[in-house]
Amino acid sequence: MTPLSPEEFLLIAQQHCAARGARLTELRQQVLGLVLARGGVVKAYQVLTDLQAARGPAAPPTVYRALDFLVEQGLLHRVDALNGYIACQHLECQHHGLLLVCETCNDVTEIDATDSLDQLSAAAARAGFQPRRQDVLLTGLCQSCRQPS
Amino acid sequence: MTPLSPEEFLLIAQQHCAARGARLTELRQQVLGLVLARGGVVKAYQVLTDLQAARGPAAPPTVYRALDFLVEQGLLHRVDALNGYIACQHLECQHHGLLLVCETCNDVTEIDATDSLDQLSAAAARAGFQPRRQDVLLTGLCQSCRQPS
DNA sequence: GACGATTTGTTACAGTATAACATCACATCG
DNA sequence: CGATGTGATGTTATACTGTAACAAATCGTC
Ligand SMILES: [Zn+2]
Ligand SMILES: [Zn+2]
Ligand SMILES: [Zn+2]
Ligand SMILES: [Zn+2]
């Protein structure tokens, strides 16, 4: 359960993409690195700022395209509720991730909820629907925010 | 399973709000009516356009505030994946809705998946997380878009 | 009618995302 | 080698989405 270091993550990402025949280019890798460096949920324009600091001029499409790619590969998850992105926290294991988004502190945790999510998919399938991605988002209160400390 | 007519929906909405001590004002009701009139997923700025057509000048905050209220009351659901809103399709029954969003046609269907969602909540609770809303979103392919017709 | 609380109006702006087209990098093949 | 096609990136401009902040109006209560 100890989170991967950015270095470990990038290494696994390399292998992951190679295995899928996807090209983890320099730019894409750099964007991934910037997301990992910030940690937690990251906004596209934050990445853009960081990228500009690191490489000079860059425009939104550059960042969005890289982020789209990384999401497509399963390396990042898109957090719709926050218009943000977060590195997958279960990259090693085969997982069906469940993203828990705290409404108070905006912290996001990804837990493995494969069984429950399979059931959810089954329910959708019974309605003739074919779910694609396996990350689902739940909003609520995290442990820290639930209890007045 | 036959969907409610806008009139039926508005009537139930009245009762629903009255029971909760919430004020379904003229404006809020009008916004709800506009969403129902369009049907399916509706964007805030579409509502704004319609509202302007119906009542003269209006600005974004007017619409967003009304939409927020209606979501808060459970009359509408927010579809994060599409930046849109859709009327609850299970207003009558006590439900935990699961929104199925088709990536191809952007159509949204809401099915009752109370059991599966309860399990999902339980999984989140085991991680110390307290889920709040009971609508969850799944993206994928609807029946029509799955089969080449 | 005075008062506080909620709702609505209004202006201005901040934040998010994509279209469209040009250019570049790279692999493949004649 | 040079042509050609594909995918990736650069660039400009713009569209879309959402909110802060403050003013005015409305409503129920005393
Ligand atoms: Zn993950
Ligand atoms: Zn929290
Ligand atoms: Zn519903
Ligand atoms: Zn469809």
Side-chain angles (χ1 to χ4, degrees):
Chain A
M1 284 301 291
T2 160
L4 297 172
S5 71
E7 292 73 21
E8 292 169 322
F9 196 106
L10 284 170
L11 196 63
I12 296 182
Q14 298 268 20
Q15 301 166 350
H16 185 88
C17 288
R20 299 181 45 148
R23 294 177 50 197
L24 185 58
T25 63
E26 171 115 17
L27 172 65
R28 290 165 174 170
Q29 189 168 333
Q30 186 169 17
V31 166
L32 177 54
L34 292 172
V35 172
L36 293 169
R38 280 208 180 242
V41 178
V42 180
K43 307 296 205 87
Y45 273 69
Q46 291 180 325
V47 176
L48 179 58
T49 300
D50 292 348
L51 188 63
Q52 288 167 338
R55 300 205 331 167
T62 298
V63 166
Y64 279 103
R65 287 191 286 229
L67 291 172
D68 287 348
F69 170 86
L70 295 166
V71 168
E72 191 65 31
Q73 299 306 315
L75 300 170
L76 300 183
H77 296 302
R78 160 93 186 159
V79 186
D80 277 329
L82 302 176
N83 294 327
Y85 302 83
I86 190 169
C88 176
Q89 293 169 31
H90 291 262
L91 200 54
E92 311 116 305
C93 52
Q94 280 302 345
H95 75 301
H96 290 175
L98 175 61
L99 298 170
L100 306 176
V101 182
C102 177
E103 294 174 326
T104 299
C105 67
N106 281 353
D107 193 57
V108 175
T109 302
E110 180 177 3
I111 66 174
D112 190 321
T114 303
D115 291 350
S116 305
L117 290 172
D118 284 349
Q119 277 209 249
L120 212 61
S121 293
R126 283 194 293 278
F129 188 86
Q130 177 182 338
R132 190 177 62 95
R133 243 182 304 164
Q134 285 299 2
D135 42 275
V136 172
L137 189 150
L138 230 50
T139 59
L141 291 180
C142 77
Q143 196 150 26
S144 314
C145 293
R146 190 161 52 157
Q147 329 169 324
S149 56
Chain B
M1 283 300 292
T2 161
L4 296 172
S5 72
E7 293 74 21
E8 292 170 322
F9 196 105
L10 284 169
L11 196 63
I12 297 183
Q14 299 268 20
Q15 301 166 351
H16 185 89
C17 288
R20 299 180 46 148
R23 295 176 49 196
L24 185 57
T25 63
E26 172 113 16
L27 173 66
R28 289 163 175 172
Q29 190 169 333
Q30 185 169 19
V31 166
L32 177 54
L34 293 172
V35 172
L36 294 169
R38 281 207 179 242
V41 177
V42 180
K43 307 296 207 88
Y45 274 69
Q46 291 180 325
V47 176
L48 178 58
T49 300
D50 293 349
L51 188 64
Q52 288 166 339
R55 302 204 330 166
T62 299
V63 166
Y64 278 103
R65 286 191 286 229
L67 291 172
D68 287 348
F69 170 86
L70 295 167
V71 167
E72 192 64 30
Q73 300 305 315
L75 300 170
L76 299 183
H77 296 301
R78 160 93 186 159
V79 186
D80 276 330
L82 302 176
N83 294 327
Y85 303 83
I86 191 170
C88 178
Q89 294 169 27
H90 292 262
L91 200 53
E92 312 115 306
C93 53
Q94 281 300 346
H95 75 300
H96 290 175
L98 175 61
L99 297 171
L100 306 176
V101 182
C102 178
E103 293 175 325
T104 299
C105 67
N106 280 354
D107 193 56
V108 176
T109 302
E110 180 177 4
I111 66 175
D112 190 321
T114 303
D115 292 349
S116 305
L117 290 172
D118 284 348
Q119 276 208 250
L120 211 61
S121 292
R126 283 194 292 276
F129 189 85
Q130 177 182 339
R132 189 177 62 96
R133 244 181 304 165
Q134 285 300 2
D135 42 275
V136 172
L137 189 149
L138 230 49
T139 60
L141 292 179
C142 76
Q143 196 150 27
S144 314
C145 292
R146 190 162 51 156
Q147 326 169 325
S149 56

